[in-house]
């Protein structure tokens, strides 16, 4: 198995859908987030090829890097929700 080959869009969507499904988001926001994750991963893959050509160094884009992207989004979202809730609580 070549773990470093580009994943098809459907596979990226499926993984993002699975890991973001438990996050409380409106349907349109959820769909948008899945699409953003797919586009970000595709952009990173394209930029890694450019990086290799320009700098002659490899940057490996792996399934783990995609999962880290999704988990980072979940963590930032949770942190910001707590921050907003805390700030709102000061005004209530």
């Amino acid at each position: 198995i070549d773990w470093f080959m580009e994943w098809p869009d459907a596979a990226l969507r499926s993984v993002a859908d699975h890991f973001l499904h438990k996050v409380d988001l409106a349907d349109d926001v959820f769909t948008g987030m899945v699409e953003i994750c797919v586009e970000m991963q595709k952009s990173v893959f394209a930029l890694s090829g450019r990086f290799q050509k320009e700098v002659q160094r490899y940057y490996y884009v792996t399934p783990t890097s995609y999962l880290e992207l999704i988990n980072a989004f979940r963590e930032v979202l949770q942190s910001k929700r707590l921050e907003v809730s805390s700030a709102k609580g000061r005004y209530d």
Side-chain angles (χ1 to χ4, degrees):
I1 296 176
D2 183 0
W3 292 107
F4 304 114
M5 65 181 220
E6 189 171 4
W7 283 20
D9 290 1
L12 294 170
R13 275 189 198 87
S14 178
V15 170
D17 185 86
H18 176 77
F19 285 98
L20 292 174
H21 190 71
K22 295 179 183 176
V23 178
D24 183 28
L25 297 169
D27 288 342
D28 58 334
V29 174
F30 174 79
T31 302
M33 276 311 308
V34 168
E35 291 304 314
I36 287 172
C37 288
V38 169
E39 288 304 315
M40 287 178 69
Q41 184 70 1
K42 288 170 57 177
S43 295
V44 169
F45 195 85
L47 287 172
S48 71
R50 181 175 156 201
F51 183 74
Q52 196 276 326
K53 288 177 186 172
E54 291 179 9
V55 187
Q56 286 79 42
R57 294 187 65 193
Y58 288 96
Y59 178 79
Y60 295 105
V61 182
T62 65
T64 302
S65 62
Y66 187 55
L67 295 176
E68 288 175 359
L69 165 71
I70 294 169
N71 284 328
F73 166 74
R74 291 172 58 183
E75 290 171 8
V76 169
L77 178 64
Q78 181 179 14
S79 170
K80 291 300 177 181
R81 282 181 172 171
L82 288 173
E83 185 180 317
V84 168
S85 178
S86 171
K88 181 184 175 220
R90 288 185 286 180
Y91 294 105
D92 287 340

